[in-house]
């Protein structure tokens, strides 16, 4: 997803050739693409990981499903598998299914020290990249900070009509916190939850009453070879 987000799509050998040429011509600086990195602490400072995407509950369970049903050839368990499973899950939600993988998850969510919601979520994810696999851009909020957060409540209104705009990052007028949709940028995110979660596809198993603290104070500079 990081490669997609910074615009790297061509053959890796082509990208490498472009990179070497730019290095020889002194053009690297013009191709720098800084991105914030999530710092995720879920063990009181003892368990800290870093990544660029964090997803709770349904996302964790969906990745387990991908690993169970798709070949271990990299691509199938990557963007392809994620796209297929995401499409199937959205279809199930559109016909009113909220069982199995789609069961809502309970969480207490604090943004920059302020409690914004305590209850159930249909979806909760945070990232430092705007474009995910399959070209999805499910972050449209404003505010300071390197963390982009999007949540959807189980009782979100007009979900079927909301989905296309959410996936493009261009939500319709009724996609508001009052109707169960929230997207914003923040400096710190603190969660209390029982559900499992994923960090860049790496799975962390559920644990009752776990506290997770997320910040994004550091950056990594990528170089696009395009």
């Amino acid at each position: 997803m990081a490669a997609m987000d910074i615009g790297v799509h061509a053959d890796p050998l082509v990208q490498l050739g472009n990179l070497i040429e730019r290095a020889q011509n002194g053009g690297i600086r013009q191709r720098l693409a800084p991105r914030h990195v999530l710092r995720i602490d879920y063990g009181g400072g003892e368990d800290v990981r870093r990544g660029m995407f964090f997803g709770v509950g349904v996302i964790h369970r969906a990745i387990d499903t991908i690993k169970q049903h798709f070949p271990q050839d990299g691509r199938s368990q990557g963007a392809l598998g994620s796209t297929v499973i995401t499409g199937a899950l959205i279809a199930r939600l559109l016909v009113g299914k909220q069982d199995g993988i789609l069961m809502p998850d309970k969480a207490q969510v604090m943004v920059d020290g302020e409690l914004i919601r305590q209850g159930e979520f249909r979806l909760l994810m945070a990232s430092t990249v705007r474009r995910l696999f399959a070209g999805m851009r499910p972050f449209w909020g404003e505010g300071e900070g390197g963390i982009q957060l999007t949540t959807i409540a189980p009782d979100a209104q007009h979900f079927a009509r909301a989905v296309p705009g959410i996936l493009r990052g261009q939500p319709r007028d009724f996609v508001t916190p009052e109707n169960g949709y929230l997207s914003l940028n923040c400096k710190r995110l603190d969660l209390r939850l029982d559900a499992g979660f994923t960090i860049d596809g790496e799975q962390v198993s559920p644990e009752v009453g776990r506290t997770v603290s997320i910040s994004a104070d550091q950056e990594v500079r990528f170089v696009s070879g395009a």
Side-chain angles (χ1 to χ4, degrees):
M1 290 193 299
M4 296 178 193
D5 191 52
I6 65 174
V8 177
H9 300 292
D11 182 277
L13 290 178
V14 174
Q15 295 288 341
L16 178 60
N18 292 339
L19 182 60
I20 292 172
E21 180 181 353
R22 294 183 189 283
Q24 292 172 338
N25 297 333
I28 290 293
R29 187 172 297 277
Q30 287 73 32
R31 304 304 302 176
L32 293 179
R35 293 292 186 274
H36 284 91
V37 178
L38 298 174
R39 180 186 186 276
I40 301 156
D41 180 347
Y42 57 95
E46 296 183 3
D47 286 316
V48 177
R49 301 189 192 182
R50 289 173 172 81
M52 304 185 78
F53 179 84
F54 173 89
V56 170
V58 61
I59 299 174
H60 177 273
R61 295 188 290 273
I63 290 175
D64 278 344
T65 300
I66 292 169
K67 291 182 176 180
Q68 291 172 15
H69 297 286
F70 285 81
Q72 297 182 14
D73 61 4
R75 182 172 180 269
S76 295
Q77 289 196 1
L80 175 61
S82 299
T83 301
V84 171
I85 292 297
T86 298
L89 293 179
I90 290 175
R92 285 175 60 84
L93 285 170
L94 293 179
V95 297
K97 300 287 187 180
Q98 291 199 48
D99 54 0
I101 294 176
L102 293 169
M103 287 290 293
D105 296 284
K106 294 182 178 180
Q108 179 189 77
V109 182
M110 296 187 69
V111 171
D112 292 334
E114 180 181 352
L115 180 66
I116 62 166
R117 183 178 175 91
Q118 181 167 337
E120 292 188 334
F121 292 86
R122 174 180 286 175
L123 179 71
L124 191 158
M125 58 184 172
S127 183
T128 57
V129 296
R130 289 199 170 273
R131 179 166 53 180
L132 307 184
F133 60 90
M136 294 189 299
R137 300 173 182 267
F139 304 103
W140 63 89
E142 299 179 348
E144 297 182 358
I147 304 172
Q148 302 168 111
L149 171 70
T150 291
T151 70
I152 300 177
D155 57 352
Q157 301 297 302
H158 312 298
F159 182 72
R161 293 165 53 201
V163 168
I166 289 175
L167 295 180
R168 297 194 307 270
Q170 299 175 342
R172 300 181 65 172
D173 291 344
F174 62 80
V175 177
T176 63
E178 293 75 19
N179 286 333
Y181 306 93
L182 175 68
S183 189
L184 52 78
N185 301 334
C186 62
K187 298 178 180 178
R188 183 180 176 90
L189 181 63
D190 292 286
L191 308 172
R192 186 175 180 85
L193 70 166
D194 301 337
F197 54 87
T198 184
I199 304 168
D200 287 357
E202 186 174 355
Q203 301 288 76
V204 178
S205 299
E207 181 179 302
V208 176
R210 174 188 276 135
T211 299
V212 181
S213 298
I214 303 174
S215 57
D217 297 332
Q218 296 179 317
E219 286 186 342
V220 169
R221 293 188 296 172
F222 292 92
V223 180
S224 171

